């Protein structure tokens, strides 16, 4: 794990896997999450001649908190990270809570971002024509209901939720995520994703829940991103069995991100959608 000083004297932790000089694929992790290697993505990046780059957003593990951050603020950190790893340009992939951050890069770093893929990414909270909570599992409805009520209510929710994840093990993940998992996601966890998800969740709350809280608040606030202004290729990938980020989020993004190509994949959930990762990364590599 590497560390970098960014604006405001904050520390940003990050990792890079792959050959120096290869095209950078910057992955934005989900919520909660940290910079660890997601093997299917890193392996797909390697197959397509790219290097895997990811960072922990502010407030997660050893990345300094950035209270009040907006989604758009990620671009300053990504630009500094690219400079640190010697990458002039990049492609980006955002999974789940990472989706808005990948869209911010596509919109606000047009001279460096060549393409973006949004994998089960959330849409803006006040999106016109979208019932944002419709189809989400009970845990997400409670979480974002608290976030919409007050920061204090969200703190109470996350204090309990993070306590339940600080020691989570692979065999515990299905129970821990409860109503958020579709049948397809149960299968994906049994096929190997449970190790990644358990490690990521433990690490994400190992220093508290600042990053998780600030992610949630950023999702509900104005992102500071004009989706209609995006000029680089964007692919939207969404499963129709997703109970964390329901399919209508993908449909809405597909209709409102300028020039987006939308892939609504039948039978897939939030986690099982990753079985399409080679096709997703291939689109980025060929952009």
């Amino acid at each position: 794990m590497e560390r970098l000083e960014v604006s405001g004297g904050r520390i940003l932790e990050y990792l890079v896997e792959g050959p120096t000089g290869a095209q950078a694929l910057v992955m934005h992790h989900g919520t909660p999450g940290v910079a660890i290697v997601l093997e299917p993505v890193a392996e797909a990046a390697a197959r397509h001649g790219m290097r895997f780059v990811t960072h922990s957003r502010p407030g997660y593990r050893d990345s300094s908190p950035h209270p009040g951050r907006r989604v758009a603020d990620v671009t300053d950190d990504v630009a500094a990270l690219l400079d640190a790893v010697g990458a002039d340009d990049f492609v980006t992939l955002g999974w789940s809570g990472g989706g808005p951050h990948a869209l911010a890069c596509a919109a606000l770093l047009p001279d460096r971002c060549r393409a973006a893929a949004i994998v089960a990414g959330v849409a803006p909270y006040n999106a016109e024509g979208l019932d944002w909570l419709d189809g989400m599992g009970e845990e997400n409805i409670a979480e974002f209901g608290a976030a919409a009520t007050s920061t204090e209510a969200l703190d109470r929710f996350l204090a309990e939720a993070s306590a339940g994840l600080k020691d989570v093990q692979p065999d515990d993940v299905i129970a821990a995520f409860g109503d958020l998992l579709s049948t397809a996601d149960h299968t994906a966890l049994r096929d190997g994703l449970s190790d990644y998800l358990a490690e990521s969740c433990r690490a994400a709350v190992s220093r508290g829940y600042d990053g998780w809280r600030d992610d949630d608040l950023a999702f509900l606030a104005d992102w500071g991103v004009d989706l209609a202004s995006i000029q680089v290729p964007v692919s939207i990938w969404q499963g129709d069995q997703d109970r964390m980020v329901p399919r209508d989020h993908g449909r809405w993004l597909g209709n409102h991100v300028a020039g987006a190509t939308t892939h609504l994949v039948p039978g897939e959930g939030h986690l099982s959608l990753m079985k399409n990762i080679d096709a997703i990364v291939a689109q980025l590599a060929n952009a």
Side-chain angles (χ1 to χ4, degrees), residues 112-191:
R112 302 184 78 166
C113 184
R114 301 301 178 217
I118 313 306
V119 183
V122 295
Y125 183 68
N126 291 319
E128 185 175 353
L130 174 67
D131 184 341
W132 204 82
L133 293 173
D134 185 42
M136 285 190 182
E138 294 175 1
E139 291 86 350
N140 267 14
I141 291 172
E143 178 177 341
F144 289 105
T149 300
S150 67
T151 303
E152 293 75 18
L154 180 59
D155 280 334
R156 289 193 294 272
F157 178 90
L158 294 179
E160 181 175 350
S162 61
L165 293 180
K166 66 181 181 67
D167 296 315
V168 69
Q169 299 298 314
D171 290 344
D172 306 327
V173 168
I174 288 178
F177 280 78
D179 194 44
L180 295 173
L181 300 176
S182 65
T183 300
D185 287 333
H186 284 194
T187 300
L189 288 168
R190 288 192 291 268
D191 287 346

Side-chain angles (χ1 to χ4, degrees), residues 72-250:
D73 292 334
V74 73
T75 56
D76 288 340
D77 288 349
V78 168
L81 176 55
L82 293 171
D83 293 343
V85 302
D88 292 331
D89 58 16
F90 71 109
V91 297
T92 189
L93 183 154
W95 186 19
S96 188
H101 299 88
L103 287 168
C105 290
L108 300 173
L109 296 174
D111 294 335
R112 302 184 78 166
C113 184
R114 301 301 178 217
I118 313 306
V119 183
V122 295
Y125 183 68
N126 291 319
E128 185 175 353
L130 174 67
D131 184 341
W132 204 82
L133 293 173
D134 185 42
M136 285 190 182
E138 294 175 1
E139 291 86 350
N140 267 14
I141 291 172
E143 178 177 341
F144 289 105
T149 300
S150 67
T151 303
E152 293 75 18
L154 180 59
D155 280 334
R156 289 193 294 272
F157 178 90
L158 294 179
E160 181 175 350
S162 61
L165 293 180
K166 66 181 181 67
D167 296 315
V168 69
Q169 299 298 314
D171 290 344
D172 306 327
V173 168
I174 288 178
F177 280 78
D179 194 44
L180 295 173
L181 300 176
S182 65
T183 300
D185 287 333
H186 284 194
T187 300
L189 288 168
R190 288 192 291 268
D191 287 346
L193 271 179
S194 59
D195 289 340
Y196 166 83
L197 200 58
E199 181 183 357
S200 182
C201 286
R202 289 195 307 270
V205 300
S206 61
R207 304 283 193 274
Y209 57 80
D210 285 354
W212 190 352
R213 178 191 59 226
D214 292 345
D215 267 0
D216 282 1
L217 295 175
F219 298 147
L220 270 58
D222 181 348
W223 291 2
V225 179
D226 181 2
L227 300 178
S229 73
I230 294 176
Q231 298 179 9
V232 304
V234 177
S235 59
I236 310 292
W237 295 79
Q238 182 67 49
D240 68 352
Q241 301 299 308
D242 195 330
R243 294 186 57 74
M244 295 190 200
V245 181
R247 63 182 178 183
D248 284 347
H249 284 243

Side-chain angles (χ1 to χ4, degrees), residues 40-42 44 47-48 93 119 273-282:
V41 179
R47 283 194 298 273
H48 291 280
L93 183 154
V119 183
L273 190 60
M274 272 292 170
K275 70 175 59 172
N276 296 279
I277 192 59
D278 199 72
I280 294 168
V281 173

